[in-house]
Amino acid sequence: MVKLRKYYRFSTLFITAFSVFLLISCGGNKYYNSKIEGKQIAITEQTGEVAAIDNFIKPYREHIDKELDSVLAYAPETLDKSKGEWQTTIGNLMADMTVEMVNPIFESRENKNIDICLLNHGGIRAVLPKGDVTIRTAYEIMPFDNSVVIVELKGTEIREMANYILKEKKPHPLNGLKIVADKNSMTVKSLTVNEKPLEDSKTYYVVTSDYLSSGGDNMNFFKKSEKSHDMNYKLRHLMIDYFKKVDTIPVITSKRIIQE
């Protein structure tokens, strides 16, 4: 009986000690973040390049450079948005290529045609230089991710558009709408859309950017539209597709705003 009691006491102590061991061994170490520190390290000529980082990104950089520098077309002369009071060669190109590339898509979707194109002068961010035209050229001219939108406007709102253009005195890219202005007062004398007189009650289809269609650059007449069509097509991609389509970039000097 004494032996049995000793054995029982020993077993109790062993089980207790083993349980404590398990609790300690299975608990693990838990770590909690108590502080975050950081500092800005400026990239300067003195700091130099980190070879490991440079070597890591090198293949990606070379691949992107190869894509951006692939030649798509040729420009016989430099197209510059700063040369022209009411029209510029690059503005005419932007407006005309937008209609040319988007209208077939719009026609197939809606069975309608674009009447007018209006973009903004400030949206053109670089010249189109004489020589090879590449994908990089498109990114430099149009670095923004603006998408193409077609807005339905009444003739009265097209009239507001014409007054806005004359008031702004900027060579915004324009296609389809011809404005004849009084040379002294710079007020509208006549408006035609694709050679036909403007009708105030008629609905016109105006292709522009999503930025302008929401009233960007104070083009508030676009906000009066009752219906618009998002073409899911970025202006920059439109340019790249156009450059792939043509061999030589045309130099377009036709006048869209005339003073009499």
Side-chain angles (χ1 to χ4, degrees):
M1 188 68 180
V2 174
K3 288 183 179 178
L4 183 61
R5 193 176 295 160
K6 285 182 178 178
Y7 174 76
Y8 178 75
R9 190 183 302 159
F10 174 78
S11 299
T12 302
L13 289 173
F14 176 78
I15 292 171
T16 302
F18 184 70
S19 298
V20 172
F21 171 76
L22 286 176
L23 285 172
I24 294 172
S25 61
C26 295
N29 296 323
K30 293 183 179 179
Y31 297 97
Y32 299 94
N33 185 27
S34 61
K35 191 176 182 181
I36 298 175
E37 292 183 333
K39 64 178 180 179
Q40 289 186 337
I41 303 175
I43 300 174
T44 64
E45 293 181 357
Q46 285 72 28
T47 57
E49 297 178 351
V50 178
I53 297 175
D54 189 59
N55 290 334
F56 178 77
I57 66 172
K58 184 178 179 181
Y60 303 99
R61 183 178 61 231
E62 290 177 346
H63 175 73
I64 291 172
D65 284 343
K66 185 179 178 181
E67 286 289 317
L68 290 176
D69 293 331
S70 58
V71 178
L72 306 179
Y74 175 77
E77 64 179 73
T78 297
L79 308 186
D80 188 344
K81 77 169 188 176
S82 67
K83 296 180 179 178
E85 183 181 6
W86 292 104
Q87 293 87 197
T88 66
T89 49
I90 192 169
N92 286 350
L93 175 70
M94 291 287 295
D96 290 7
M97 79 165 72
T98 299
V99 173
E100 181 175 332
M101 299 304 291
V102 178
N103 193 57
I105 304 171
F106 186 54
E107 187 177 15
S108 65
R109 290 185 188 176
E110 304 291 337
N111 197 29
K112 295 168 183 169
N113 286 288
I114 295 169
D115 296 299
I116 297 168
C117 173
L118 177 64
L119 303 172
N120 60 326
H121 178 256
I124 303 171
R125 309 303 285 190
V127 301
L128 194 156
K130 178 181 178 179
D132 291 337
V133 177
T134 65
I135 294 176
R136 190 186 298 276
T137 308
Y139 272 84
E140 290 173 345
I141 294 172
M142 184 59 62
F144 311 111
D145 284 333
N146 289 337
S147 294
V148 177
V149 173
I150 295 175
V151 179
E152 297 187 14
L153 293 178
K154 293 294 183 184
T156 50
E157 290 148 4
I158 300 299
R159 199 174 293 280
E160 285 185 42
M161 176 192 295
N163 287 324
Y164 167 90
I165 292 171
L166 294 180
K167 183 180 178 182
E168 279 282 295
K169 296 181 180 178
K170 291 180 180 176
H172 295 296
L174 183 66
N175 174 289
L177 175 65
K178 180 175 284 186
I179 305 171
V180 178
D182 185 288
K183 63 181 179 182
N184 296 315
S185 61
M186 286 310 297
T187 55
V188 172
K189 289 181 67 176
S190 67
L191 297 173
T192 54
V193 177
N194 295 319
E195 309 300 328
K196 295 180 181 178
L198 181 77
E199 298 178 40
D200 286 348
S201 59
K202 183 178 177 179
T203 296
Y204 292 92
Y205 300 95
V206 183
V207 61
T208 186
S209 69
D210 57 341
Y211 169 67
L212 297 180
S213 69
S214 60
D217 278 8
N218 294 317
M219 294 192 185
N220 295 319
F221 45 85
F222 276 127
K223 296 196 301 186
K224 297 180 179 179
S225 169
E226 295 182 355
K227 190 174 182 180
S228 63
H229 308 265
D230 187 348
M231 302 306 291
N232 297 312
Y233 196 10
K234 293 190 186 305
L235 278 168
R236 184 173 55 242
H237 294 166
L238 174 159
M239 294 177 65
I240 294 170
D241 291 341
Y242 178 83
F243 293 158
K244 290 178 179 176
K245 180 182 175 183
V246 300
D247 178 72
T248 303
I249 303 298
V251 180
I252 307 166
T253 58
S254 58
K255 292 185 177 181
R256 287 94 202 272
I257 299 173
I258 299 169
Q259 299 176 65
E260 290 181 349

